[in-house]
Amino acid sequence: MDTAVSTPFEPSEQRHGDRTHLFVIATLCWNAGTMPVHIRNMSAKGALIEAAVLLQPGSLVVLKRGSLEASGRVAWVGARQAGLAFGSLVNIPDWMGKRANAHQDRIDEIVAQLKAKEQPEEEASDSSTPSTPKEILELLRSDLIQLGNALAADVILVATHPEIQLVDIALQRVDRLIGAFERTQSPML
């Protein structure tokens, strides 16, 4: 076995080409399974990924996002990060584009909406901004339903991440709070 493949490389030693920074979710596939990863940056010849558990350097992999695929190998592994070297060039704009995965488009849209709602109260001058605890809970309930439905639409995501049920558990807790609020008609928060 070639020792250059079996030993971890420092990221700077093997980097080829300019990197484009991005933060998108993808799936790393290999002969024994799959796992979700975050792509932190990408060049035409490789990518930096993050995951809780990573494969050994030299492992043959396929990085997938929607209908896109890039075959290659794990070039190096560090703390929760790994560098991938692709076997052929990839078109980075395709990996950044919304057409990569219809479900990802919807998730990205929901996340953007949730971030927009996180603005500080002094910046929120819109009269439609919830002001009572019940209105805030109802808005949270609506957001959780929307997020849960979007996540549940991705069968692979649900199958590989049973912790997604935490969205439903959080929704049930919010429903109980709303019910308690309606019974007492007094602020709960």
Side-chain angles (χ1 to χ4, degrees):
M1 178 185 277
D2 182 2
T3 58
V5 173
S6 63
T7 59
F9 296 116
E10 289 302 314
S12 60
E13 290 180 31
Q14 296 299 313
R15 184 165 292 169
H16 299 288
D18 292 332
R19 296 277 168 155
T20 299
H21 296 282
L22 53 144
F23 190 73
V24 296
I25 297 173
T27 302
L28 189 67
C29 306
W30 68 101
N31 63 352
T34 65
M35 78 173 107
V37 297
H38 289 102
I39 303 173
R40 296 296 291 176
N41 65 47
M42 181 179 271
S43 73
K45 295 182 179 183
L48 171 66
I49 61 167
E50 288 184 343
V53 178
L54 293 162
L55 302 174
Q56 294 298 313
S59 299
L60 297 178
V61 296
V62 177
L63 185 64
K64 294 182 178 184
R65 182 168 192 255
S67 61
L68 300 172
E69 292 186 4
S71 298
R73 65 175 176 82
V74 177
W76 59 267
V77 176
R80 297 181 57 95
Q81 293 186 334
L84 303 182
F86 300 142
S88 60
L89 299 178
V90 299
N91 184 9
I92 299 167
D94 288 347
W95 288 78
M96 297 171 60
K98 293 192 178 255
R99 66 180 182 266
N101 184 334
H103 297 299
Q104 185 66 42
D105 292 346
R106 185 69 183 126
I107 292 169
D108 292 345
E109 179 183 322
I110 291 169
V111 169
Q113 290 172 355
L114 291 173
K115 285 183 179 180
K117 292 177 184 176
E118 291 176 356
Q119 62 182 333
E121 286 186 33
E122 62 270 11
E123 293 179 18
S125 60
D126 186 2
S127 62
S128 66
T129 302
S131 58
T132 67
K134 183 179 178 189
E135 290 173 345
I136 292 169
L137 288 171
E138 288 172 346
L139 181 61
L140 179 59
R141 181 182 190 281
S142 174
D143 291 343
L144 286 170
I145 289 171
Q146 196 174 13
L147 178 62
N149 289 341
L151 293 173
D154 188 332
V155 177
I156 294 172
L157 185 66
V158 172
T160 57
H161 292 282
E163 65 272 15
I164 289 175
Q165 70 182 348
L166 292 173
V167 174
D168 186 52
I169 292 168
L171 179 59
Q172 292 173 25
R173 289 178 180 156
V174 169
D175 284 341
R176 284 194 299 270
L177 285 171
I178 291 172
F181 181 80
E182 289 173 344
R183 285 189 298 277
T184 63
Q185 290 299 311
S186 64
M188 297 287 294
L189 300 175

